[in-house]
Amino acid sequence: MLMGSLLVSGVAVGLVVGLFILLMILLSQAVIVVQQSNRYVIERLGVYSKSLDAGVHFVIPFFDRIRKKVSLKEQVVDFAPQPVITKDNVTMQIDTVVFYMVTDAKLFTYGVNSPLRAIENLTATTLRNIIGDLELDESLTSRDQINSKMRIILDEATDPWGIKIIRVEVKNIIPPKDIREAMEKQMRAERERRQAILLAEGEKKSNILTAEGEKQSKILRAEADKEARIREAEGRAQAILEVQNATARGIEMIKKAGADEAFLRLEAYKAMVEVSQGQATKLIIPSDLQGMVGIAGTLAETFKTDKK
């Protein structure tokens, strides 16, 4: 009896433990925690049931299962270089970078098989179509136009797949080797031409500045000479004016002193003596002074005779 009771109790404990483990398994499968910026696609018995947002969710164990975990973050995919042919039959290698994000987890899961491969093939064909309408020079200088067209076309094509194309960037455009060499020569020649133009313009400006400097120097020298002459003429005129004013003041003082006619004639004689001692070869004597000069001559001769 004791052995039987122990056996029964052991079986009961085992059943309890088994039920507890089964319950924990069921709870672990019934509770799903979805992380932020993620969405889980749930299938029930192989058929789409619902999409779970971030948070804690309960499902039916063994009936519901996670079909796919989808990230809603913006993602970047870098595709390998693709051979494309331009309108003027030049083959180039172009690699692109596509920025996209998933907007509908259900469409992303069931809309297309291998979404990234589908985007890569769609990018390659779209790029070939766009570049095929452009010549080499246009394709090298129209990256913004190419990026814009590709984004619009890819966004429309991937919309049924629950994918939003944010932007498309042409990363590298690699022309053939001979084309690159020709372009480098052309760029070198263009740089040399610009350098020659800059040197010529610099020399021209230098000559202009030199000529302007010489011109300004001559103008300043001429103005200085003119100013000096004006100042000299003004000085002479001022001196003459001062002499005339002094003479006028002397005459005025003589008049005020009441000088008689004999004194005035004597002063005139002194002036004539000073004039006769100058460089003039001819001397014109006024008629009213001729008598005075004669008298002065007679007095001079008399003085000389007495002296002998």
Side-chain angles (χ1 to χ4, degrees), residues 47-103:
V47 180
Y48 171 78
S49 174
K50 56 187 175 180
S51 298
L52 302 180
D53 296 328
V56 179
H57 302 273
F58 295 93
V59 295
I60 301 175
F62 304 111
F63 289 93
D64 295 340
R65 73 181 185 91
I66 300 174
R67 173 65 175 80
K68 193 169 187 174
K69 296 179 180 180
V70 180
S71 175
L72 302 181
K73 297 178 182 179
E74 183 175 341
Q75 302 182 52
V76 182
V77 57
D78 188 356
F79 297 126
Q82 301 291 332
V84 294
I85 301 176
T86 62
K87 188 176 181 179
D88 48 356
N89 296 323
V90 177
T91 302
M92 301 186 301
Q93 297 287 330
I94 300 180
D95 57 340
T96 55
V97 179
V98 177
F99 299 80
Y100 73 95
M101 64 183 301
V102 178
T103 57

Short mmCIF file of all heavy atoms in Angstrom, two decimals, residues 47-103:
data_model
loop_
_atom_site.label_atom_id
_atom_site.label_comp_id
_atom_site.label_asym_id
_atom_site.label_seq_id
_atom_site.Cartn_x
_atom_site.Cartn_y
_atom_site.Cartn_z
N VAL A 47 -2.87 31.26 -43.31
CA VAL A 47 -3.56 32.37 -43.96
C VAL A 47 -3.26 33.66 -43.18
O VAL A 47 -3.21 33.65 -41.95
CB VAL A 47 -5.07 32.11 -44.02
CG1 VAL A 47 -5.78 33.27 -44.72
CG2 VAL A 47 -5.38 30.81 -44.74
N TYR A 48 -3.08 34.73 -43.94
CA TYR A 48 -2.79 36.01 -43.27
C TYR A 48 -3.90 36.35 -42.30
O TYR A 48 -5.09 36.30 -42.63
CB TYR A 48 -2.66 37.14 -44.30
CG TYR A 48 -2.57 38.51 -43.69
CD1 TYR A 48 -1.38 38.96 -43.12
CD2 TYR A 48 -3.68 39.36 -43.67
CE1 TYR A 48 -1.29 40.23 -42.56
CE2 TYR A 48 -3.59 40.63 -43.11
CZ TYR A 48 -2.40 41.05 -42.55
OH TYR A 48 -2.31 42.31 -41.98
N SER A 49 -3.48 36.73 -41.07
CA SER A 49 -4.45 37.07 -40.04
C SER A 49 -4.41 38.56 -39.71
O SER A 49 -5.43 39.24 -39.83
CB SER A 49 -4.18 36.25 -38.77
OG SER A 49 -5.03 36.66 -37.71
N LYS A 50 -3.22 39.06 -39.35
CA LYS A 50 -3.12 40.46 -38.96
C LYS A 50 -1.65 40.86 -38.92
O LYS A 50 -0.75 40.03 -38.98
CB LYS A 50 -3.77 40.71 -37.61
CG LYS A 50 -3.21 39.83 -36.49
CD LYS A 50 -4.00 39.99 -35.21
CE LYS A 50 -3.50 39.00 -34.14
NZ LYS A 50 -4.24 39.14 -32.88
N SER A 51 -1.45 42.18 -38.77
CA SER A 51 -0.10 42.74 -38.61
C SER A 51 -0.03 43.40 -37.25
O SER A 51 -0.90 44.20 -36.88
CB SER A 51 0.20 43.77 -39.71
OG SER A 51 0.17 43.16 -40.99
N LEU A 52 1.00 43.04 -36.49
CA LEU A 52 1.13 43.51 -35.12
C LEU A 52 2.09 44.70 -35.08
O LEU A 52 3.22 44.63 -35.59
CB LEU A 52 1.65 42.39 -34.22
CG LEU A 52 0.80 41.12 -34.19
CD1 LEU A 52 1.43 40.10 -33.25
CD2 LEU A 52 -0.63 41.43 -33.76
N ASP A 53 1.61 45.79 -34.44
CA ASP A 53 2.46 46.96 -34.24
C ASP A 53 3.33 46.77 -33.00
O ASP A 53 3.28 45.72 -32.33
CB ASP A 53 1.60 48.21 -34.10
CG ASP A 53 0.83 48.51 -35.38
OD1 ASP A 53 1.36 48.19 -36.46
OD2 ASP A 53 -0.28 49.07 -35.29
N ALA A 54 4.13 47.81 -32.67
CA ALA A 54 5.00 47.72 -31.50
C ALA A 54 4.17 47.60 -30.23
O ALA A 54 3.14 48.25 -30.06
CB ALA A 54 5.89 48.96 -31.44
N GLY A 55 4.61 46.71 -29.31
CA GLY A 55 3.91 46.49 -28.05
C GLY A 55 3.73 45.01 -27.75
O GLY A 55 4.35 44.14 -28.39
N VAL A 56 2.88 44.71 -26.76
CA VAL A 56 2.61 43.33 -26.32
C VAL A 56 1.30 42.87 -26.94
O VAL A 56 0.28 43.57 -26.88
CB VAL A 56 2.54 43.25 -24.78
CG1 VAL A 56 2.24 41.81 -24.34
CG2 VAL A 56 3.85 43.72 -24.16
N HIS A 57 1.30 41.63 -27.51
CA HIS A 57 0.12 41.09 -28.19
C HIS A 57 -0.05 39.62 -27.79
O HIS A 57 0.93 38.93 -27.46
CB HIS A 57 0.28 41.19 -29.71
CG HIS A 57 0.49 42.59 -30.20
ND1 HIS A 57 -0.55 43.45 -30.50
CD2 HIS A 57 1.63 43.29 -30.44
CE1 HIS A 57 -0.07 44.59 -30.90
NE2 HIS A 57 1.27 44.54 -30.88
N PHE A 58 -1.30 39.19 -27.83
CA PHE A 58 -1.63 37.79 -27.51
C PHE A 58 -2.17 37.12 -28.76
O PHE A 58 -3.03 37.67 -29.46
CB PHE A 58 -2.68 37.73 -26.38
CG PHE A 58 -2.18 38.26 -25.07
CD1 PHE A 58 -2.38 39.60 -24.72
CD2 PHE A 58 -1.51 37.43 -24.19
CE1 PHE A 58 -1.92 40.09 -23.53
CE2 PHE A 58 -1.04 37.94 -22.99
CZ PHE A 58 -1.24 39.26 -22.65
N VAL A 59 -1.69 35.88 -28.99
CA VAL A 59 -2.12 35.10 -30.14
C VAL A 59 -2.51 33.71 -29.65
O VAL A 59 -2.31 33.35 -28.48
CB VAL A 59 -1.01 35.00 -31.19
CG1 VAL A 59 -0.70 36.38 -31.78
CG2 VAL A 59 0.26 34.38 -30.62
N ILE A 60 -3.05 32.95 -30.56
CA ILE A 60 -3.47 31.59 -30.22
C ILE A 60 -2.31 30.64 -30.50
O ILE A 60 -1.86 30.53 -31.65
CB ILE A 60 -4.70 31.18 -31.04
CG1 ILE A 60 -5.85 32.15 -30.77
CG2 ILE A 60 -5.11 29.75 -30.70
CD1 ILE A 60 -7.07 31.89 -31.64
N PRO A 61 -1.78 29.99 -29.49
CA PRO A 61 -0.65 29.09 -29.72
C PRO A 61 -1.01 27.95 -30.69
O PRO A 61 -2.17 27.48 -30.73
CB PRO A 61 -0.33 28.55 -28.32
CG PRO A 61 -0.93 29.55 -27.37
CD PRO A 61 -2.15 30.08 -28.05
N PHE A 62 -0.03 27.50 -31.44
CA PHE A 62 -0.12 26.42 -32.42
C PHE A 62 -1.02 26.76 -33.61
O PHE A 62 -1.02 26.03 -34.59
CB PHE A 62 -0.63 25.12 -31.76
CG PHE A 62 0.20 24.68 -30.60
CD1 PHE A 62 -0.31 24.73 -29.31
CD2 PHE A 62 1.49 24.21 -30.79
CE1 PHE A 62 0.45 24.32 -28.23
CE2 PHE A 62 2.25 23.79 -29.70
CZ PHE A 62 1.73 23.84 -28.41
N PHE A 63 -1.80 27.83 -33.51
CA PHE A 63 -2.64 28.24 -34.64
C PHE A 63 -2.05 29.47 -35.34
O PHE A 63 -2.07 29.52 -36.57
CB PHE A 63 -4.07 28.53 -34.15
CG PHE A 63 -4.82 27.30 -33.74
CD1 PHE A 63 -4.82 26.88 -32.41
CD2 PHE A 63 -5.54 26.58 -34.69
CE1 PHE A 63 -5.52 25.75 -32.04
CE2 PHE A 63 -6.24 25.45 -34.29
CZ PHE A 63 -6.22 25.02 -32.97
N ASP A 64 -1.61 30.40 -34.49
CA ASP A 64 -1.02 31.63 -35.04
C ASP A 64 0.50 31.51 -35.01
O ASP A 64 1.08 31.01 -34.04
CB ASP A 64 -1.44 32.85 -34.24
CG ASP A 64 -2.94 33.13 -34.33
OD1 ASP A 64 -3.56 32.63 -35.30
OD2 ASP A 64 -3.46 33.82 -33.45
N ARG A 65 1.14 32.03 -36.08
CA ARG A 65 2.60 32.04 -36.11
C ARG A 65 3.07 33.31 -36.82
O ARG A 65 2.33 33.91 -37.62
CB ARG A 65 3.16 30.81 -36.82
CG ARG A 65 2.98 30.81 -38.32
CD ARG A 65 3.53 29.53 -38.93
NE ARG A 65 3.49 29.57 -40.41
CZ ARG A 65 4.47 30.01 -41.16
NH1 ARG A 65 5.59 30.46 -40.60
NH2 ARG A 65 4.36 30.02 -42.49
N ILE A 66 4.28 33.68 -36.52
CA ILE A 66 4.86 34.88 -37.13
C ILE A 66 5.37 34.50 -38.52
O ILE A 66 6.28 33.69 -38.65
CB ILE A 66 6.01 35.44 -36.27
CG1 ILE A 66 5.52 35.82 -34.88
CG2 ILE A 66 6.64 36.65 -36.97
CD1 ILE A 66 6.62 36.26 -33.93
N ARG A 67 4.77 35.14 -39.52
CA ARG A 67 5.17 34.85 -40.90
C ARG A 67 6.44 35.63 -41.28
O ARG A 67 7.34 35.07 -41.91
CB ARG A 67 4.03 35.24 -41.87
CG ARG A 67 4.38 35.16 -43.34
CD ARG A 67 4.66 33.73 -43.77
NE ARG A 67 4.89 33.65 -45.21
CZ ARG A 67 6.04 33.95 -45.82
NH1 ARG A 67 7.07 34.37 -45.09
NH2 ARG A 67 6.16 33.83 -47.13
N LYS A 68 6.49 36.93 -40.87
CA LYS A 68 7.66 37.75 -41.21
C LYS A 68 7.76 38.93 -40.25
O LYS A 68 6.74 39.50 -39.88
CB LYS A 68 7.57 38.24 -42.65
CG LYS A 68 8.86 38.84 -43.18
CD LYS A 68 8.79 39.05 -44.68
CE LYS A 68 10.13 39.47 -45.22
NZ LYS A 68 10.13 39.53 -46.70
N LYS A 69 9.00 39.23 -39.90
CA LYS A 69 9.27 40.42 -39.09
C LYS A 69 9.79 41.52 -40.03
O LYS A 69 10.81 41.34 -40.68
CB LYS A 69 10.31 40.13 -38.02
CG LYS A 69 9.84 39.09 -37.00
CD LYS A 69 10.92 38.81 -35.97
CE LYS A 69 10.46 37.77 -34.96
NZ LYS A 69 11.51 37.49 -33.93
N VAL A 70 9.06 42.61 -40.07
CA VAL A 70 9.36 43.68 -41.03
C VAL A 70 9.82 44.92 -40.26
O VAL A 70 9.17 45.34 -39.31
CB VAL A 70 8.12 44.02 -41.89
CG1 VAL A 70 8.45 45.14 -42.87
CG2 VAL A 70 7.64 42.77 -42.63
N SER A 71 10.94 45.50 -40.71
CA SER A 71 11.44 46.75 -40.12
C SER A 71 10.86 47.94 -40.89
O SER A 71 10.86 47.96 -42.12
CB SER A 71 12.98 46.79 -40.18
OG SER A 71 13.46 48.04 -39.72
N LEU A 72 10.37 48.92 -40.13
CA LEU A 72 9.80 50.12 -40.74
C LEU A 72 10.80 51.27 -40.85
O LEU A 72 10.43 52.37 -41.26
CB LEU A 72 8.58 50.59 -39.92
CG LEU A 72 7.45 49.55 -39.77
CD1 LEU A 72 6.31 50.16 -38.95
CD2 LEU A 72 6.95 49.08 -41.11
N LYS A 73 12.05 51.04 -40.50
CA LYS A 73 13.07 52.08 -40.58
C LYS A 73 13.46 52.32 -42.05
O LYS A 73 13.28 51.45 -42.91
CB LYS A 73 14.31 51.66 -39.80
CG LYS A 73 14.08 51.47 -38.32
CD LYS A 73 15.37 51.02 -37.65
CE LYS A 73 15.16 50.77 -36.16
NZ LYS A 73 16.42 50.30 -35.50
N GLU A 74 14.01 53.51 -42.29
CA GLU A 74 14.54 53.80 -43.62
C GLU A 74 15.81 52.97 -43.84
O GLU A 74 16.69 52.92 -42.99
CB GLU A 74 14.87 55.29 -43.76
CG GLU A 74 15.36 55.68 -45.15
CD GLU A 74 15.57 57.18 -45.30
OE1 GLU A 74 15.00 57.93 -44.49
OE2 GLU A 74 16.30 57.58 -46.23
N GLN A 75 15.87 52.33 -44.97
CA GLN A 75 16.98 51.43 -45.27
C GLN A 75 17.69 51.87 -46.54
O GLN A 75 17.12 52.56 -47.39
CB GLN A 75 16.47 50.00 -45.42
CG GLN A 75 15.74 49.48 -44.18
CD GLN A 75 15.28 48.05 -44.33
OE1 GLN A 75 16.07 47.18 -44.67
NE2 GLN A 75 14.00 47.81 -44.06
N VAL A 76 18.95 51.46 -46.64
CA VAL A 76 19.80 51.83 -47.76
C VAL A 76 20.33 50.57 -48.40
O VAL A 76 20.81 49.66 -47.71
CB VAL A 76 20.97 52.72 -47.30
CG1 VAL A 76 21.81 53.14 -48.51
CG2 VAL A 76 20.47 53.92 -46.55
N VAL A 77 20.26 50.53 -49.71
CA VAL A 77 20.82 49.40 -50.46
C VAL A 77 21.68 49.95 -51.58
O VAL A 77 21.27 50.86 -52.31
CB VAL A 77 19.71 48.47 -51.01
CG1 VAL A 77 18.73 49.24 -51.88
CG2 VAL A 77 20.31 47.31 -51.77
N ASP A 78 22.91 49.45 -51.67
CA ASP A 78 23.89 49.90 -52.66
C ASP A 78 24.02 48.81 -53.72
O ASP A 78 24.47 47.69 -53.42
CB ASP A 78 25.23 50.17 -51.99
CG ASP A 78 26.23 50.82 -52.93
OD1 ASP A 78 25.90 50.99 -54.11
OD2 ASP A 78 27.35 51.14 -52.47
N PHE A 79 23.63 49.13 -54.95
CA PHE A 79 23.67 48.15 -56.03
C PHE A 79 24.99 48.23 -56.78
O PHE A 79 25.61 49.29 -56.89
CB PHE A 79 22.51 48.37 -57.00
CG PHE A 79 21.16 48.19 -56.35
CD1 PHE A 79 20.20 49.18 -56.43
CD2 PHE A 79 20.87 47.04 -55.65
CE1 PHE A 79 18.97 49.02 -55.83
CE2 PHE A 79 19.63 46.87 -55.04
CZ PHE A 79 18.68 47.86 -55.13
N ALA A 80 25.41 47.11 -57.31
CA ALA A 80 26.66 47.03 -58.06
C ALA A 80 26.54 47.83 -59.36
O ALA A 80 25.43 48.09 -59.85
CB ALA A 80 26.99 45.58 -58.36
N PRO A 81 27.68 48.27 -59.94
CA PRO A 81 27.63 49.03 -61.20
C PRO A 81 26.93 48.25 -62.31
O PRO A 81 27.11 47.05 -62.46
CB PRO A 81 29.12 49.25 -61.52
CG PRO A 81 29.81 49.17 -60.21
CD PRO A 81 29.04 48.14 -59.41
N GLN A 82 26.11 49.00 -63.07
CA GLN A 82 25.35 48.41 -64.17
C GLN A 82 25.84 49.00 -65.49
O GLN A 82 26.06 50.21 -65.60
CB GLN A 82 23.85 48.72 -64.01
CG GLN A 82 23.24 48.20 -62.73
CD GLN A 82 23.14 46.68 -62.70
OE1 GLN A 82 23.03 46.05 -63.75
NE2 GLN A 82 23.21 46.11 -61.51
N PRO A 83 26.03 48.16 -66.53
CA PRO A 83 26.42 48.70 -67.84
C PRO A 83 25.23 49.36 -68.53
O PRO A 83 24.15 48.77 -68.62
CB PRO A 83 26.89 47.45 -68.60
CG PRO A 83 26.15 46.32 -67.96
CD PRO A 83 25.96 46.69 -66.52
N VAL A 84 25.41 50.59 -68.98
CA VAL A 84 24.36 51.32 -69.69
C VAL A 84 24.97 51.93 -70.94
O VAL A 84 26.17 52.18 -71.02
CB VAL A 84 23.74 52.42 -68.80
CG1 VAL A 84 23.00 51.82 -67.63
CG2 VAL A 84 24.81 53.38 -68.30
N ILE A 85 24.11 52.19 -71.93
CA ILE A 85 24.55 52.75 -73.21
C ILE A 85 23.85 54.08 -73.41
O ILE A 85 22.63 54.17 -73.31
CB ILE A 85 24.25 51.79 -74.37
CG1 ILE A 85 24.94 50.44 -74.13
CG2 ILE A 85 24.70 52.38 -75.70
CD1 ILE A 85 24.61 49.40 -75.19
N THR A 86 24.61 55.11 -73.72
CA THR A 86 24.06 56.43 -73.94
C THR A 86 23.47 56.55 -75.35
O THR A 86 23.58 55.63 -76.16
CB THR A 86 25.14 57.51 -73.73
OG1 THR A 86 26.18 57.30 -74.70
CG2 THR A 86 25.73 57.42 -72.34
N LYS A 87 22.87 57.70 -75.60
CA LYS A 87 22.25 57.94 -76.89
C LYS A 87 23.27 57.96 -78.02
O LYS A 87 22.96 57.56 -79.16
CB LYS A 87 21.49 59.27 -76.84
CG LYS A 87 20.64 59.56 -78.06
CD LYS A 87 19.87 60.85 -77.87
CE LYS A 87 18.98 61.15 -79.06
NZ LYS A 87 18.22 62.41 -78.87
N ASP A 88 24.52 58.40 -77.71
CA ASP A 88 25.58 58.42 -78.72
C ASP A 88 26.46 57.17 -78.66
O ASP A 88 27.64 57.21 -79.01
CB ASP A 88 26.42 59.68 -78.59
CG ASP A 88 26.85 59.94 -77.16
OD1 ASP A 88 26.42 59.18 -76.27
OD2 ASP A 88 27.61 60.88 -76.93
N ASN A 89 25.88 56.04 -78.16
CA ASN A 89 26.51 54.71 -78.20
C ASN A 89 27.82 54.65 -77.41
O ASN A 89 28.83 54.11 -77.89
CB ASN A 89 26.76 54.27 -79.65
CG ASN A 89 25.47 54.10 -80.43
OD1 ASN A 89 24.45 53.64 -79.87
ND2 ASN A 89 25.48 54.47 -81.70
N VAL A 90 27.82 55.20 -76.22
CA VAL A 90 28.97 55.08 -75.32
C VAL A 90 28.52 54.22 -74.13
O VAL A 90 27.54 54.53 -73.46
CB VAL A 90 29.45 56.46 -74.83
CG1 VAL A 90 30.59 56.31 -73.83
CG2 VAL A 90 29.89 57.31 -76.02
N THR A 91 29.27 53.14 -73.88
CA THR A 91 28.93 52.24 -72.79
C THR A 91 29.61 52.71 -71.51
O THR A 91 30.83 52.91 -71.48
CB THR A 91 29.37 50.81 -73.12
OG1 THR A 91 28.72 50.39 -74.33
CG2 THR A 91 28.97 49.85 -72.00
N MET A 92 28.83 52.87 -70.46
CA MET A 92 29.36 53.32 -69.17
C MET A 92 28.91 52.36 -68.07
O MET A 92 27.97 51.59 -68.24
CB MET A 92 28.86 54.73 -68.84
CG MET A 92 29.23 55.79 -69.86
SD MET A 92 28.74 57.45 -69.29
CE MET A 92 26.97 57.22 -69.09
N GLN A 93 29.61 52.45 -66.94
CA GLN A 93 29.25 51.71 -65.74
C GLN A 93 28.70 52.69 -64.71
O GLN A 93 29.37 53.66 -64.35
CB GLN A 93 30.46 50.97 -65.17
CG GLN A 93 31.06 49.91 -66.08
CD GLN A 93 30.18 48.68 -66.16
OE1 GLN A 93 29.46 48.33 -65.22
NE2 GLN A 93 30.23 48.01 -67.32
N ILE A 94 27.49 52.44 -64.24
CA ILE A 94 26.85 53.34 -63.27
C ILE A 94 26.33 52.52 -62.10
O ILE A 94 25.63 51.52 -62.29
CB ILE A 94 25.68 54.12 -63.91
CG1 ILE A 94 26.17 54.96 -65.09
CG2 ILE A 94 24.99 55.00 -62.87
CD1 ILE A 94 25.09 55.76 -65.77
N ASP A 95 26.72 52.92 -60.90
CA ASP A 95 26.17 52.28 -59.70
C ASP A 95 25.30 53.27 -58.95
O ASP A 95 25.56 54.47 -58.95
CB ASP A 95 27.28 51.74 -58.79
CG ASP A 95 28.27 52.81 -58.39
OD1 ASP A 95 28.33 53.84 -59.07
OD2 ASP A 95 28.97 52.62 -57.39
N THR A 96 24.27 52.74 -58.33
CA THR A 96 23.26 53.58 -57.69
C THR A 96 23.06 53.18 -56.23
O THR A 96 23.37 52.05 -55.83
CB THR A 96 21.91 53.48 -58.42
OG1 THR A 96 21.53 52.10 -58.51
CG2 THR A 96 22.01 54.05 -59.82
N VAL A 97 22.52 54.12 -55.46
CA VAL A 97 22.17 53.88 -54.06
C VAL A 97 20.69 54.25 -53.90
O VAL A 97 20.28 55.34 -54.30
CB VAL A 97 23.03 54.72 -53.11
CG1 VAL A 97 22.63 54.47 -51.67
CG2 VAL A 97 24.50 54.40 -53.32
N VAL A 98 19.91 53.32 -53.33
CA VAL A 98 18.47 53.52 -53.18
C VAL A 98 18.14 53.57 -51.69
O VAL A 98 18.55 52.68 -50.92
CB VAL A 98 17.68 52.39 -53.87
CG1 VAL A 98 16.18 52.59 -53.64
CG2 VAL A 98 17.99 52.36 -55.35
N PHE A 99 17.41 54.61 -51.30
CA PHE A 99 16.93 54.75 -49.92
C PHE A 99 15.42 54.47 -49.93
O PHE A 99 14.68 55.14 -50.67
CB PHE A 99 17.20 56.17 -49.41
CG PHE A 99 18.65 56.54 -49.36
CD1 PHE A 99 19.31 56.95 -50.51
CD2 PHE A 99 19.35 56.50 -48.17
CE1 PHE A 99 20.65 57.30 -50.47
CE2 PHE A 99 20.70 56.86 -48.13
CZ PHE A 99 21.34 57.25 -49.28
N TYR A 100 14.99 53.51 -49.12
CA TYR A 100 13.58 53.14 -49.13
C TYR A 100 13.14 52.77 -47.72
O TYR A 100 13.96 52.58 -46.81
CB TYR A 100 13.35 51.95 -50.06
CG TYR A 100 13.85 50.63 -49.52
CD1 TYR A 100 13.01 49.76 -48.84
CD2 TYR A 100 15.19 50.27 -49.67
CE1 TYR A 100 13.47 48.55 -48.33
CE2 TYR A 100 15.66 49.07 -49.17
CZ TYR A 100 14.80 48.21 -48.49
OH TYR A 100 15.27 47.03 -47.99
N MET A 101 11.82 52.67 -47.54
CA MET A 101 11.24 52.21 -46.28
C MET A 101 9.94 51.48 -46.58
O MET A 101 9.28 51.73 -47.59
CB MET A 101 11.00 53.37 -45.33
CG MET A 101 9.99 54.39 -45.79
SD MET A 101 9.82 55.78 -44.64
CE MET A 101 9.32 54.92 -43.14
N VAL A 102 9.60 50.55 -45.69
CA VAL A 102 8.38 49.74 -45.84
C VAL A 102 7.22 50.48 -45.19
O VAL A 102 7.30 50.91 -44.04
CB VAL A 102 8.56 48.35 -45.21
CG1 VAL A 102 7.27 47.55 -45.33
CG2 VAL A 102 9.71 47.61 -45.87
N THR A 103 6.16 50.66 -45.96
CA THR A 103 4.97 51.33 -45.45
C THR A 103 3.82 50.37 -45.15
O THR A 103 2.92 50.70 -44.39
CB THR A 103 4.49 52.38 -46.46
OG1 THR A 103 4.24 51.74 -47.72
CG2 THR A 103 5.55 53.47 -46.66
#
